[in-house]
Amino acid sequence: MTQHKSKTLNRTLLVAALMVMNAAAWAATVPAGTALADKQELVRNNGSEPASLDPHKVESNVEFNLISDMFDGLVAVNPQGVVEPRLAASWENKNNTVWVFHLRPGIMWSDGSAITAQDIVWSWQRLVLPQTASPYATYLGNMHVANAADIAQGKKDPATLGVKALNDTTLEVTLTQPTAAFLAMLAHPSLVPLDKVLIGRFGDKWTKPEHFVSSGAYRLSQWVVNERIVAVRNTHYWDDKNTVINKVTYLPISSESADVNRYKAGEIDIVFSVPVNQFAQLKKTMGDELRVSPQLSTYYYMFNTTRAPFNDPRVRRALNLALDKDIIAEKVMGQGQLAAWLISQPEIGGIQLHDPEYASWPRDKRIAEAKKLLSEAGFGPEHPLTFNLLYNTFETHQRIAIAASSMWKKNLGVEAKLQNQEWKTMLDTMHTGNFDVVRYAWIADYDDASSFLNIFRTGDSENTTLYSNAAYDEAMLNAAKASSLTERGKYYQQAEDLLGQDVPAMPLYHYVRTHLVKPWVGGFIPDRLGNYYTKDMYIKKH
């Protein structure tokens, strides 16, 4: 999941299905004796105006924060990394390749009509259909759902997708091979069911508040573009009795300073992210209201590998080597972020990955190697490299871009011209390939390195760099087939080693999430992916 996204998860997946029958639904748990406010309303900043509320048309946490509040999938993964039932009450599998899900009896859309297994079949077919052009079109293929990859490439009919409704309440999913992270991947917002009748009637306009129906704890009530989105409690939600907050307002404030100012003025309950230049001061003055949590997420710059001179891996590697990532993580950011030389994470899904060898070189040696590589590629004082560095409008992205460009200038004599665009515009620019280097980040969609690494495979729908390496594709294929964590880790390391040599993207740092949260907001518990859900929260009397 694009970022504006438990170490033991994969090891627990096999037992999760057994535990799941007895698992309580993850919802607002109000401690005994807690006095609740009469007015159960929450205001949270969401960082930007969403590109869409259609789960098949989006790719970032800006949209998925909203979609996850308004839609349920078959399962969810709780903050402890345990898979829990949502629209599916239970499931079983045969040889980890044929999975049968039993839907909860009586589940309904927010308009009171029934949600059926057929809705899920139709929704997943729509997701992989080339005409839908979903950024997540290849996701079901990455899960090894039968025929998904071929359908996404236009080679097979969507009706051949390995998912079928055995009846209104029973769904069968067929995989071509066991997928270790299958259940965790199933929790992704792109796999929520959508209402076929509604979309058939209104087309792209189905996401307008007057047409919108949802399956989660909230339904869309109001959408004032660039001002606010309001959702209210969905009384037809299967777990409505465990929802406490009645109304949630999401604001699209991209200025972190404005976000904090409105928080201090009492207009916002949860800040989207804390400005880097105010962090130390807020740590002193805001006490427990400042929350910092680790997150499986990496910030990086992506190259357009089809555009000269970035079709030359020497140029890409040189720019990567010349960045002082410790300074970016510790001085420019300084909230607990870690310098990154891996696209994935040093520790994820029960495995550990190691950095490329050059990460441990002294700084002078890295810069000398970078100069040598640039010179071999035809760049130097007489012929300096100049390119555009694009980022979406956000104060922190600007600070990082200024730091990176000054490092390149000082260390290599390279000129990076800074360009910024609003979030939606930048996504369009990126997907049309009209960029040199673009700021990006990835939040794990599930706790496994493949969530980061799949998007660099040839033909992946999120592969904006257009990087293609047959050895890389093979390593990822072997990792998916691996029967043990050790074996899987070996192939992920092979993949990371190739990315370290080819550098289709330069990792800068691994994230932490920073928020300001009002003391009266209870139940704010981000998971390792950085997600937190309104239905798990409540407002204390204050």
Side-chain angles (χ1 to χ4, degrees):
M1 181 198 319
T2 310
Q3 160 77 289
H4 175 25
K5 249 191 169 167
S6 118
K7 294 169 190 160
T8 56
L9 175 62
N10 287 317
R11 284 172 283 182
T12 61
L13 283 180
L14 297 177
V15 293
L18 304 173
M19 295 165 54
V20 86
M21 301 285 192
N22 303 316
W26 182 24
T29 307
V30 183
T34 303
L36 292 175
D38 293 335
K39 193 176 176 184
Q40 288 295 320
E41 296 184 3
L42 180 78
V43 180
R44 49 188 281 189
N45 182 29
N46 200 39
S48 284
E49 177 67 18
S52 170
L53 285 183
D54 185 329
H56 296 163
K57 305 283 187 176
V58 298
E59 60 189 301
S60 86
N61 57 336
V62 167
E63 294 83 19
F64 288 145
N65 290 338
L66 295 151
I67 287 162
S68 296
D69 271 357
M70 297 185 215
F71 291 89
D72 252 5
L74 292 171
V75 303
V77 179
N78 73 15
Q80 291 73 45
V82 177
V83 176
E84 293 185 342
R86 281 290 173 81
L87 294 181
S90 63
W91 54 86
E92 65 271 351
N93 80 78
K94 192 164 65 182
N95 303 324
N96 286 316
T97 55
V98 180
W99 292 77
V100 176
F101 294 88
H102 305 280
L103 302 189
R104 290 179 183 278
I107 48 173
M108 289 186 277
W109 295 107
S110 54
D111 65 358
S113 57
I115 298 173
T116 66
Q118 288 88 345
D119 290 323
I120 298 166
V121 172
W122 179 83
S123 301
W124 290 13
Q125 288 173 350
R126 180 179 184 257
L127 173 66
V128 294
L129 197 65
Q131 293 91 304
T132 305
S134 174
Y136 274 83
T138 53
Y139 190 74
L140 285 170
N142 294 343
M143 292 169 76
H144 301 285
V145 173
N147 294 326
D150 284 343
I151 297 165
Q153 290 171 22
K155 294 177 184 172
K156 285 191 177 170
D157 190 290
T160 64
L161 186 67
V163 55
K164 64 180 179 182
L166 302 182
N167 54 46
D168 284 354
T169 60
T170 314
L171 186 79
E172 182 184 84
V173 181
T174 303
L175 308 181
T176 53
Q177 65 177 60
T179 305
F182 174 71
L183 282 176
M185 291 180 81
L186 202 57
H188 193 262
S190 64
L191 298 184
V192 299
L194 303 178
D195 187 336
K196 175 185 178 180
V197 175
L198 180 84
I199 295 172
R201 186 179 304 155
F202 297 111
D204 288 342
K205 294 190 171 59
W206 77 268
T207 54
K208 287 177 174 277
E210 60 267 29
H211 305 318
F212 196 87
V213 303
S214 56
S215 57
Y218 296 91
R219 60 178 177 80
L220 182 63
S221 153
Q222 190 184 25
W223 187 351
V224 184
V225 173
N226 291 321
E227 193 177 312
R228 68 182 174 275
I229 286 176
V230 180
V232 296
R233 201 157 148 178
N234 169 16
T235 53
H236 291 292
Y237 180 50
W238 66 267
D239 198 33
D240 181 53
K241 66 180 185 300
N242 287 314
T243 306
V244 178
I245 288 175
N246 295 319
K247 176 182 167 186
V248 52
T249 302
Y250 310 85
L251 303 177
I253 303 167
S254 60
S255 163
E256 292 169 300
S257 303
D259 192 2
V260 170
N261 290 340
R262 289 182 67 173
Y263 176 88
K264 287 177 175 175
E267 297 171 26
I268 291 175
D269 299 311
I270 302 173
V271 159
F272 184 73
S273 68
V274 173
V276 168
N277 58 350
Q278 293 185 40
F279 182 79
Q281 180 63 22
L282 290 169
K283 198 173 180 182
K284 283 183 200 158
T285 57
M286 299 306 258
D288 292 344
E289 291 180 49
L290 180 65
R291 310 280 189 93
V292 181
S293 53
Q295 184 180 24
L296 294 176
S297 183
T298 305
Y299 189 108
Y300 49 81
Y301 286 145
M302 291 195 303
F303 292 103
N304 184 342
T305 65
T306 62
R307 179 181 281 190
F310 303 118
N311 53 353
D312 186 337
R314 294 173 299 188
V315 175
R316 305 195 299 256
R317 205 177 324 144
L319 291 175
N320 189 37
L321 287 166
L323 285 179
D324 194 327
K325 299 176 185 187
D326 291 317
I327 287 178
I328 291 172
E330 294 163 22
K331 301 285 196 296
V332 180
M333 298 303 292
Q335 301 169 321
Q337 290 85 352
L338 298 171
W341 294 93
L342 296 170
I343 289 291
S344 178
Q345 304 280 303
E347 202 172 319
I348 184 168
I351 62 167
Q352 288 189 308
L353 297 168
H354 59 78
D355 290 342
E357 185 199 348
Y358 55 68
S360 61
W361 291 357
R363 184 167 161 271
D364 290 349
K365 183 179 176 182
R366 281 205 298 262
I367 292 168
E369 176 69 9
K371 284 178 176 169
K372 177 170 155 276
L373 288 166
L374 268 192
S375 174
E376 286 172 8
F379 294 99
E382 291 77 37
H383 182 219
L385 171 64
T386 304
F387 65 91
N388 293 324
L389 174 62
L390 175 63
Y391 61 91
N392 56 299
T393 308
F394 207 62
E395 290 147 16
T396 299
H397 302 329
Q398 183 183 31
R399 285 169 64 92
I400 294 166
I402 290 168
S405 62
S406 64
M407 288 172 187
W408 286 323
K409 181 77 172 171
K410 180 184 165 198
N411 297 337
L412 299 178
V414 164
E415 183 80 34
K417 297 175 182 171
L418 305 192
Q419 291 182 319
N420 67 296
Q421 294 177 344
E422 291 306 314
W423 175 241
K424 288 197 282 190
T425 309
M426 189 194 85
L427 287 178
D428 287 342
T429 303
M430 209 172 75
H431 287 304
T432 52
N434 190 22
F435 69 94
D436 292 334
V437 181
V438 63
R439 170 264 153 196
Y440 207 56
W442 193 260
I443 309 171
D445 289 315
Y446 49 96
D447 191 357
D448 188 77
S450 62
S451 181
F452 291 90
L453 302 178
N454 275 335
I455 66 173
F456 292 94
R457 295 181 319 152
T458 305
D460 190 275
S461 54
E462 281 284 2
N463 186 354
T464 314
T465 66
L466 299 179
Y467 171 66
S468 181
N469 180 329
Y472 183 84
D473 297 343
E474 188 181 0
M476 291 307 297
L477 199 60
N478 288 334
K481 289 179 188 167
S483 55
S484 70
L485 268 180
T486 309
E487 192 187 359
R488 199 149 84 246
K490 181 183 84 173
Y491 291 119
Y492 287 150
Q493 187 65 59
Q494 281 180 15
E496 281 282 11
D497 290 346
L498 288 164
L499 292 181
Q501 286 306 303
D502 294 346
V503 197
M506 291 175 278
L508 272 66
Y509 63 81
H510 301 301
Y511 271 79
V512 290
R513 282 303 295 268
T514 55
H515 298 282
L516 288 170
V517 183
K518 292 292 185 189
W520 52 78
V521 177
F524 176 85
I525 308 170
D527 62 21
R528 288 193 79 212
L529 310 183
N531 301 320
Y532 48 95
Y533 306 103
T534 303
K535 67 180 175 47
D536 301 325
M537 293 186 253
Y538 51 91
I539 308 297
K540 294 179 259 189
K541 197 162 190 170
H542 58 281

